Amino acid sequence: QQPVQSPQAVILREGEDAVINCSSSKALYSVHWYRQKHGEAPVFLMILLKGGEQKGHDKISASFNEKKQQSSLYLTASQLSYSGTYFCGTERWDSGAGSYQLTFGKGTKLSVIP
Amino acid sequence: DAGITQSPRHKVTETGTPVTLRCHQTENHRYMYWYRQDPGHGLRLIHYSYGVKDTDKGEVSDGYSVSRSKTEDFLLTLESATSSQTSVYFCAIRTGNSPLHFGNGTRLTVT
């Protein structure tokens, strides 16, 4: 089942902050975040495992609320290079398949303008 | 990118013809995946493999088959291509709970 991302799109001026949310109706093992620039492959940003941890990468950080099955990606002091589409991927145990399944949301298009 | 190569990068084919896309890795990763990406739908899993000759269906597997006879190669076949299969196809590799590493994609157009 696809996680739900919000907002679908956001426009920022350089230096502004943004939050992208990702929620699932299923119990999750982990949440992945990727960024994709136009015409390129998605690139890994970070993984958050269940346990409510928060991670950071430069001025991009994320949190995972295991109880609510929600994750948020925080972009602070945005730069032009942050532009792209951000995808969350939620991972859960699929008993039918006998393996972990990673399912992506539809993405959030972030545009940073000067 | 280093470690994973998709071929061809672009292909135009006619409705009803068979098409095979290839994903080749040099990382010896156990897991390999095929996704399709369409506007408004994000990345959707077609099939995945968890070892040689071990494959399983994803959420949009109808009309697609896969094979993995060697660790390094994962093939995606459209037995009879349809216009609805026009898309960008990404292969990805992974070991255990590590991040997915994506190939550069194959843009397929079915006319």
Side-chain angles (χ1 to χ4, degrees):
Chain A
Q1 216 168 14
Q2 243 179 342
V4 177
Q5 283 186 239
S6 63
Q8 290 183 319
V10 59
I11 299 175
L12 299 175
R13 292 198 177 276
E14 272 187 293
E16 291 182 337
D17 302 339
V19 180
I20 300 172
N21 299 303
C22 175
S23 64
S24 173
S25 59
K26 301 286 187 179
L28 300 177
Y29 171 74
S30 70
V31 178
H32 297 217
W33 286 97
Y34 295 79
R35 177 171 62 205
Q36 183 180 33
K37 294 189 179 286
H38 184 68
E40 299 180 5
V43 173
F44 169 74
L45 292 176
M46 62 189 76
I47 286 180
L48 300 102
L49 302 177
K50 66 177 183 179
E53 67 174 302
Q54 185 157 350
K55 280 194 169 183
H57 174 67
D58 195 13
K59 293 180 180 177
I60 299 175
S61 62
S63 63
F64 177 26
N65 185 322
E66 182 185 346
K67 288 185 178 180
K68 294 185 177 181
Q69 309 305 329
Q70 293 176 349
S71 179
S72 294
L73 186 71
Y74 307 94
L75 301 101
T76 58
S78 59
Q79 307 167 17
L80 294 176
S81 62
Y82 286 3
S83 292
T85 300
Y86 291 76
F87 292 98
C88 73
T90 53
E91 187 168 31
R92 62 182 184 88
W93 176 254
D94 186 329
S95 56
S99 65
Y100 286 99
Q101 297 295 310
L102 181 62
T103 307
F104 287 93
K106 294 183 179 182
T108 296
K109 185 175 182 180
L110 179 75
S111 302
V112 181
I113 58 176
Chain B
D1 282 0
I4 179 170
T5 305
Q6 290 185 233
S7 59
R9 291 295 312 278
H10 302 272
K11 185 168 183 66
V12 179
T13 190
E14 293 184 349
T15 298
T17 60
V19 176
T20 295
L21 308 183
R22 181 183 185 229
C23 179
H24 178 79
Q25 62 149 330
T26 58
E27 305 295 320
N28 201 35
H29 283 351
R30 178 183 178 189
Y31 296 94
M32 298 185 76
Y33 304 80
W34 277 107
Y35 288 90
R36 62 177 288 175
Q37 186 172 36
D38 306 287
H41 291 278
L43 292 154
R44 292 182 292 173
L45 182 63
I46 305 171
H47 281 279
Y48 66 100
S49 170
Y50 45 94
V52 174
K53 296 186 179 179
D54 289 325
T55 65
D56 209 343
K57 296 179 180 180
E59 57 190 305
V60 289
S61 60
D62 288 347
Y64 301 94
S65 63
V66 290
S67 66
R68 191 173 179 195
S69 59
K70 298 184 291 185
T71 298
E72 56 265 35
D73 289 325
F74 192 33
L75 304 179
L76 176 71
T77 298
L78 292 67
E79 299 291 346
S80 178
T82 66
S83 58
S84 65
Q85 293 176 312
T86 291
S87 185
V88 179
Y89 291 85
F90 284 102
C91 176
I93 59 177
R94 187 184 190 191
T95 290
N97 295 326
S98 67
L100 287 176
H101 180 48
F102 287 89
N104 286 330
T106 294
R107 183 173 295 276
L108 176 68
T109 302
V110 183
T111 60

